[in-house]
Amino acid sequence: MTPVSAANASRWYQRWVDAVPGRLERVAGLTRLSLARPDFGALLETELAAGIPLPRAMRRLRNLLLAGLIRRDLEGLADLDEVVTAMTGLADFAIRTHLADLMAELVAAHGMPVGAESGRPQEMMVLAMGKQGGGELNVSSDIDLIFVYPEDGETAAGPQQRGLSNHEFFVRLGRRLIGALSEVIEDGFTFRVDMALRPNGKSGPLAASLNMVEEYLIVQGREWERYAWVKARAVTGFDEDIAALDAIVRPFVFRRYLDFGVIDAIRNMHAQIRAEVNRQERLHPDRSNNVKLGRGGIREIEFLAQVFQLIRGGRDPALRERSTRQTLRLLAERELMAPATVERLLDAYTFLRNLEHRLQYLDDAQTHTLPANEAERLLVAHMMGLPDVATLLARLEEQRAFVAAEFDDMFADRSAPPDDERAGLEAIAADPENLATIEAHLASLGYDAPLDGARRLVATWQAPRLQSLPDASRARLLALVNLALPQVAATVKEAGVGSHGATLGRLLDFLEAVARRSAYLSLLTEYPHTLERVIRMMHASGWAATFLTQHPILLDELLDDRGGIDEPAQLASSLDAKLGEAEGDTERQLDILRETHHAQQFRLLALDLAGELSVERLADHLSALADVMVAATVRWAWKTVATRHVEEPRFAVIAYGKLGGKELGYVSDLDVIFLFDDEDDMAPSNYAKLAQRFITWMTAHTPAGILFDIDTALRPDGASGMLVSSLAAFERYQRQSAWVWEHQALTRARFCAGDAAIGARFEAIRDTVLRQDRSGREAELKEEVRKMRQRMHEAYPNRTMLFDLKQDAGGMIDIEFIVQYLVLRHAATYPQLTANLGNIALLRIAGELGLIDAALASEAGATYRLMRRLQHQLRLQGRPAQVDTTLVRDHLDPVIRLWQSCLDG
């Protein structure tokens, strides 16, 4: 009599153990340790020692492993991970073992298949799909396989061998492999095999070449197949062939853009699955409670994980993970799903998979449905460690309700408008070019110029770009516009300023620009709150509207409240990791730099428009962001210099102008020079290459735009000078040859990125140069500063009646020149003036030192702050930095008086 064990709840286990003496002892010996990664080879040799053929031995191994897993699982010794890892390992082992055996047989009969183009021996790639591909195979599951061979050709048939085409050879090999795994013989089967996921499904050839797979995926690949191929994993094959297959499959599954269209595709696919499950449950009420395909079941958790993979996997390689559990954990790490939600989903997944296994333990049957028999349900409840059926059903309902709620939240169709707006919108949808109908609708929404708005809508709708759209895209675009119209009205009303027409026009420009990218239309449809944020941003800033239109990928930043930007050190680390993943693909690295910069800039813009940043604080953030981009570009551009003579370049980027003074704006260019300190003979030419490559990486136009415009005119000898200078040559130039205006520029210079030792040497040189005693040349210094200021007036004449905040007398440049003069004139006596603190702080210090009138210094500083704020507001609206003189007239006098006292005396 078999001793009582929790495993005896499995009828299959009882039958199998009782059938042959000694099996119980074998199971007991096997289950002392974890079965996650047993030595399958040794276990198989034990079975083969009985003198039975490989197919029988493999089936006996499978039954032994299943019995061991049932015992360890039901006795609480194994967790879900051990069970699914063991079953996946067995499936992989069985495929490899049988394939090697069958391949040897076929080669002996027909010769080795050889590629017609490469001349290389060919080996079949067996792709594990579904749960086996993800390393999460069920105990009684079938395995989904696809057979792929590298290329067409013929077998190298020798004497007494019959040659075959490679295609026929691998089709025969595939058939034999299926039989070896799935035929039911006296010891049962090893795994049932399902080949329905292969190209063209059951009507397609059993084995396909790489070229056939590529053509199929490009021409005929359907949306649901992307979902299936996420988990594809090659169990056999040569590494180079597997890499070639991956290069074909990856762009099909993972799009380079954020693919929000997949939400609708999965929604439709799931609806079909649910409809079939509901039909089966109506026909067979005893088959209700399907824990895999029913509402809130395992498949919905898999969909929740995979939707993020399909949306973002093209841009984030880490999300190409095949395991559902590991993917969920990554979603929490990536802040794409709340950690608490992920934990609940993982708990639900574990509960449902454990329940599924217990249903299958009963009779080793491929079932996912609770039994109808009350006694069997009680047996399953006890196997789950629960006291009764009512508790089991309550726990099951609790888990499924949570999963279903999360699924519905992700996949609910949000494109339908509220009932009270539906009538007006349906009238527009019926005839989107009916001017009177649209005007009436806009008037009912409170638009200030409904006729103008209607004309703009009709003009957009009649634009050739929109007229040529597919019907589905036109319908989606129309639905978005209909949803947006009341939101525009609400935004204008809430803000209390601005016009409906301007905001609507910006939005329509944006929608027209992205209309051909269905992913962006899908994003706005699936996430209506994102559309609302877009409208708010476009109402607040014309420049923001233009920026978003140029870089629509930034819509992703509006999906949720991600807070502020990353800390520079954290950003530098994550950016370096992304660039490292793309090493060797310069084009992708350029896009990563641009996408990262634009995303951080866009987050700052959102904070700026929300009034959470002062102009000075914003400039600090933008300057720190630029520093990170410059450092990353130097580091990775250097790796592309083939002739580089050291791994870490002894090279530094020095920032001047707005970046040097940490007063960078959204669209500022970067004034930089390049220094090196390296005695190697290759140094000058290699660092010149690096500087040129740096400029190219920064300024090149890619699909993601550009990073920065670069100006190197402030280098020694200007445009006629060398692009890079040695540290010694730079010091010599600054001491002996530099013009006064170059020393003015030096007051705002600082080390930006590269070799920190060179940066420290530069700062020392800067201090020495700025602290030169110029007291005996005061008149000459004043004259040179005045002359340079006059040249700027002549170079940028103001031909309007407005006041130019930068260039006109009493404006920002006058203040900057005053500060520069004070530094050059007095730093020899007061070295604190060489600190790169910004114009306002330096004015205050000069006042405290008695170099200028302290009250005048304070008023001039306040004027500078006001003008920077006005300039910033104008730029956000996409307008030049010019205002009505009455706005600033009262603030000009302190600046003019300070200029006169410092430079006209």
Side-chain angles (χ1 to χ4, degrees):
M1 188 73 181
T2 303
V4 176
S5 164
N8 288 333
S10 164
R11 291 187 290 256
W12 178 89
Y13 177 87
Q14 283 183 302
R15 289 194 300 269
W16 184 82
V17 166
D18 292 343
V20 176
R23 281 182 174 175
L24 185 62
E25 290 73 18
R26 286 201 68 192
V27 172
L30 183 68
T31 56
R32 290 194 184 99
L33 299 173
S34 168
L35 295 177
R37 289 172 180 82
D39 186 344
F40 288 117
L43 291 172
L44 181 64
E45 286 299 324
T46 301
E47 301 297 342
L48 288 169
I52 58 176
L54 177 61
R56 289 192 63 191
M58 192 66 77
R59 282 154 175 75
R60 289 187 178 185
L61 171 57
R62 182 261 183 189
N63 293 336
L64 175 65
L65 180 69
L66 179 57
L69 288 173
I70 290 174
R71 181 160 175 169
R72 280 184 59 83
D73 192 1
L74 296 184
E75 291 182 355
L77 300 174
D79 59 8
L80 174 64
D81 186 69
E82 179 179 329
V83 175
V84 297
T85 301
M87 290 308 301
T88 303
L90 175 65
D92 290 356
F93 174 76
I95 289 168
R96 293 185 186 118
T97 304
H98 280 303
L99 188 69
D101 184 62
L102 296 168
M103 179 78 173
E105 286 181 15
L106 279 177
V107 168
H110 303 288
M112 175 66 74
V114 176
E117 293 184 15
S118 68
R120 291 193 302 110
Q122 306 284 287
E123 186 172 295
M124 188 163 78
M125 289 171 275
V126 178
L127 305 184
M129 309 293 281
K131 287 188 171 62
Q132 183 189 354
E136 296 171 329
L137 193 61
N138 278 334
V139 290
S140 298
S141 175
D142 58 7
I143 54 176
D144 296 287
L145 304 179
I146 294 177
F147 301 147
V148 180
Y149 59 93
E151 57 182 302
D152 288 315
E154 305 286 334
T155 61
Q160 311 303 315
Q161 291 181 320
R162 178 177 166 233
L164 295 175
S165 70
N166 286 358
H167 179 71
E168 187 175 357
F169 180 95
F170 287 115
V171 167
R172 290 189 182 191
L173 180 60
R175 283 201 192 102
R176 293 191 183 190
L177 177 61
I178 293 170
L181 291 168
S182 64
E183 283 180 2
V184 179
I185 56 178
E186 58 262 52
D187 294 288
F189 60 90
T190 304
F191 287 100
R192 307 173 192 88
V193 177
D194 190 332
M195 299 294 298
L197 293 177
R198 68 185 187 269
N200 288 306
K202 294 178 181 177
S203 64
L206 193 64
S209 68
L210 284 175
N211 284 340
M212 292 168 65
V213 171
E214 181 171 28
E215 181 179 357
Y216 174 81
L217 294 181
I218 292 172
V219 177
Q220 299 181 56
R222 289 157 291 184
E223 204 68 36
W224 69 263
E225 288 176 293
R226 293 178 59 204
Y227 170 86
W229 279 84
V230 166
K231 291 185 178 292
R233 177 173 59 86
V235 178
T236 66
F238 294 126
D239 288 345
E240 58 192 288
D241 295 331
I242 294 170
L245 177 63
D246 184 56
I248 291 168
V249 173
R250 191 189 316 117
F252 168 69
V253 177
F254 302 110
R255 306 295 158 84
R256 293 194 70 169
Y257 52 86
L258 293 169
D259 185 10
F260 290 91
V262 77
I263 295 176
D264 192 48
I266 290 182
R267 180 191 295 127
N268 292 335
M269 179 167 61
H270 180 261
Q272 294 172 15
I273 294 171
R274 285 282 292 276
E276 176 60 21
V277 171
N278 291 339
R279 188 180 73 84
Q280 290 292 336
E281 290 182 349
R282 282 196 307 273
L283 294 173
H284 308 281
D286 56 316
R287 297 181 188 172
S288 59
N289 283 315
N290 188 314
V291 300
K292 177 181 179 181
L293 301 178
R295 177 168 172 76
I298 296 165
R299 181 55 50 84
E300 290 193 355
I301 300 175
E302 292 171 342
F303 278 152
L304 279 167
Q306 287 191 274
V307 69
F308 287 100
Q309 292 183 283
L310 293 175
I311 290 171
R312 299 172 182 277
R315 309 189 75 81
D316 187 350
L319 286 174
R320 297 170 193 168
E321 169 65 46
R322 297 181 180 95
S323 159
T324 296
R325 293 166 297 157
Q326 188 57 31
T327 299
L328 286 170
R329 295 185 185 105
L330 280 169
L331 296 182
E333 289 178 16
R334 292 293 197 273
E335 297 182 2
L336 297 172
M337 189 179 283
T341 301
V342 167
E343 284 305 312
R344 286 288 307 275
L345 287 174
L346 286 170
D347 287 346
Y349 185 81
T350 300
F351 178 87
L352 293 170
R353 288 296 305 273
N354 281 335
L355 177 56
E356 182 182 43
H357 284 160
R358 280 144 182 78
L359 298 176
Q360 295 174 353
Y361 288 161
L362 285 174
D363 293 298
D364 186 20
Q366 188 182 4
T367 180
H368 314 283
T369 303
L370 281 183
N373 182 290
E374 190 69 15
E376 291 193 347
R377 288 191 174 195
L378 181 60
L379 190 59
V380 171
H382 290 163
M383 292 165 80
M384 289 291 289
L386 300 174
D388 50 47
V389 174
T391 305
L392 171 65
L393 294 176
R395 286 285 308 279
L396 176 60
E397 177 55 30
E398 177 189 353
Q399 300 289 3
R400 290 174 63 175
F402 177 77
V403 173
E406 291 299 317
F407 184 89
D408 290 345
D409 185 56
M410 169 61 68
F411 292 100
D413 188 347
R414 300 176 175 88
S415 60
D419 291 340
D420 56 350
E421 296 171 12
R422 193 179 305 277
L425 300 185
E426 287 178 350
I428 295 174
D431 185 2
E433 298 179 14
N434 188 321
L435 197 64
T437 302
I438 298 173
E439 180 187 4
H441 183 59
L442 295 182
S444 71
L445 292 172
Y447 275 60
D448 47 25
L451 180 58
D452 291 342
R455 286 173 176 155
R456 181 68 170 82
L457 275 166
V458 171
T460 298
W461 199 247
Q462 291 175 341
R465 181 182 295 184
L466 268 59
Q467 289 293 313
S468 61
L469 286 176
D471 289 344
S473 294
R474 280 168 58 83
R476 184 173 287 162
L477 184 62
L478 179 60
L480 277 174
V481 172
N482 284 338
L483 283 172
L485 293 177
Q487 291 184 22
V488 169
T491 299
V492 174
K493 182 177 180 181
E494 181 183 329
V497 294
S499 73
H500 300 86
T503 304
L504 179 61
R506 293 166 185 170
L507 178 65
L508 292 176
D509 287 341
F510 168 73
L511 291 175
E512 188 174 347
V514 303
R516 291 192 172 277
R517 298 294 296 273
S518 61
Y520 297 131
L521 300 183
S522 297
L523 185 157
L524 294 169
T525 301
E526 300 294 346
Y527 298 93
H529 68 277
T530 301
L531 176 63
E532 182 179 343
R533 290 178 177 179
V534 167
I535 290 169
R536 289 178 181 278
M537 185 167 278
M538 290 186 168
H539 177 71
S541 168
W543 182 83
T546 302
F547 188 62
L548 187 57
T549 300
Q550 291 171 342
H551 309 292
I553 194 173
L554 295 172
L555 283 173
D556 183 43
E557 297 297 321
L558 296 176
L559 277 175
D560 49 45
D561 296 309
R562 300 184 187 178
I565 64 165
D566 299 328
E567 288 298 316
Q570 177 188 349
L571 177 64
S573 176
S574 65
L575 176 59
D576 192 62
K578 290 177 184 176
L579 291 168
E581 289 171 356
E583 188 168 7
D585 185 350
T586 300
E587 182 182 349
R588 180 67 194 128
Q589 288 180 316
L590 295 185
D591 280 346
I592 288 169
L593 286 165
R594 284 148 179 76
E595 290 160 5
T596 302
H597 180 250
H598 292 155
Q600 295 292 313
Q601 199 177 33
F602 197 64
R603 292 189 196 180
L604 284 171
L605 177 60
L607 293 171
D608 182 15
L609 295 177
E612 296 182 27
L613 292 174
S614 67
V615 175
E616 291 81 9
R617 192 82 183 106
L618 173 66
D620 286 343
H621 282 307
L622 288 172
S623 300
L625 176 58
D627 286 355
V628 171
M629 295 297 134
V630 170
T633 302
V634 169
R635 172 171 161 74
W636 288 96
W638 177 245
K639 292 178 183 292
T640 69
V641 177
T643 58
R644 64 186 184 277
H645 57 286
V646 289
E647 280 308 304
E648 295 297 327
R650 298 176 63 184
F651 174 94
V653 179
I654 306 301
Y656 279 72
K658 293 293 186 187
L659 179 59
K662 298 185 179 179
E663 294 182 351
L664 212 62
Y666 289 119
V667 293
S668 300
D669 58 5
L670 304 187
D671 293 291
V672 296
I673 68 167
F674 307 111
L675 301 179
F676 71 92
D677 186 21
D678 192 332
E679 298 300 322
D680 193 282
D681 291 343
M682 296 290 290
S685 61
N686 276 341
Y687 294 134
K689 289 177 185 175
L690 173 57
Q692 191 58 61
R693 207 151 290 183
F694 173 89
I695 294 171
T696 300
W697 278 43
M698 284 281 178
T699 61
H701 284 266
T702 77
I706 73 165
L707 257 182
F708 295 99
D709 284 322
I710 300 294
D711 190 336
T712 60
L714 291 172
R715 67 186 187 270
D717 290 316
S720 62
M722 300 290 288
L723 186 58
V724 295
S725 300
S726 70
L727 202 56
F730 174 78
E731 181 174 16
R732 189 165 54 250
Y733 179 85
Q734 289 293 335
R735 288 178 180 275
Q736 301 174 9
S737 308
W739 298 85
V740 170
W741 66 264
E742 290 177 289
H743 287 172
Q744 284 181 249
L746 197 61
T747 64
R748 288 160 63 83
R750 64 179 177 87
F751 168 67
C752 175
D755 189 312
I758 298 177
R761 289 276 307 280
F762 163 78
E763 296 293 350
I765 294 167
R766 173 182 176 274
D767 276 3
T768 301
V769 170
L770 294 182
R771 292 177 188 178
Q772 289 176 5
D773 185 359
R774 297 177 176 85
S775 59
R777 295 179 284 126
E778 182 174 327
E780 179 188 347
L781 178 61
K782 289 182 179 182
E783 178 62 21
E784 288 297 323
V785 173
R786 285 196 301 266
K787 282 165 61 177
M788 177 51 66
R789 184 67 186 97
Q790 184 57 37
R791 284 196 207 108
M792 294 188 70
H793 277 303
E794 292 167 358
Y796 301 99
N798 181 5
R799 295 186 173 88
T800 73
M801 298 299 292
L802 300 172
F803 180 80
D804 190 307
L805 293 167
K806 284 184 65 177
Q807 301 293 344
D808 281 355
M812 294 167 67
I813 290 180
D814 275 4
I815 298 172
E816 292 167 3
F817 269 52
I818 291 168
V819 171
Q820 291 162 14
Y821 165 76
L822 290 170
V823 172
L824 294 177
R825 171 62 185 84
H826 298 289
T829 307
Y830 303 104
Q832 60 265 50
L833 289 172
T834 63
N836 197 331
L837 301 174
N839 292 297
I840 295 173
L842 288 172
L843 280 172
R844 176 180 51 76
I845 291 171
E848 291 171 352
L849 292 171
L851 304 177
I852 55 177
D853 181 272
L856 210 54
S858 177
E859 291 177 54
T863 297
Y864 191 72
R865 183 177 286 112
L866 168 68
M867 289 185 177
R868 281 190 68 187
R869 189 168 68 249
L870 290 172
Q871 179 191 49
H872 181 64
Q873 290 169 353
L874 289 165
R875 284 180 172 167
L876 282 178
Q877 295 305 325
R879 292 161 55 191
Q882 296 174 330
V883 298
D884 191 300
T885 307
T886 57
L887 265 180
V888 293
R889 180 181 293 124
D890 294 343
H891 300 276
L892 303 181
D893 181 62
V895 180
I896 294 170
R897 285 164 52 207
L898 191 57
W899 177 276
Q900 290 169 344
S901 69
C902 290
L903 289 156
D904 284 349

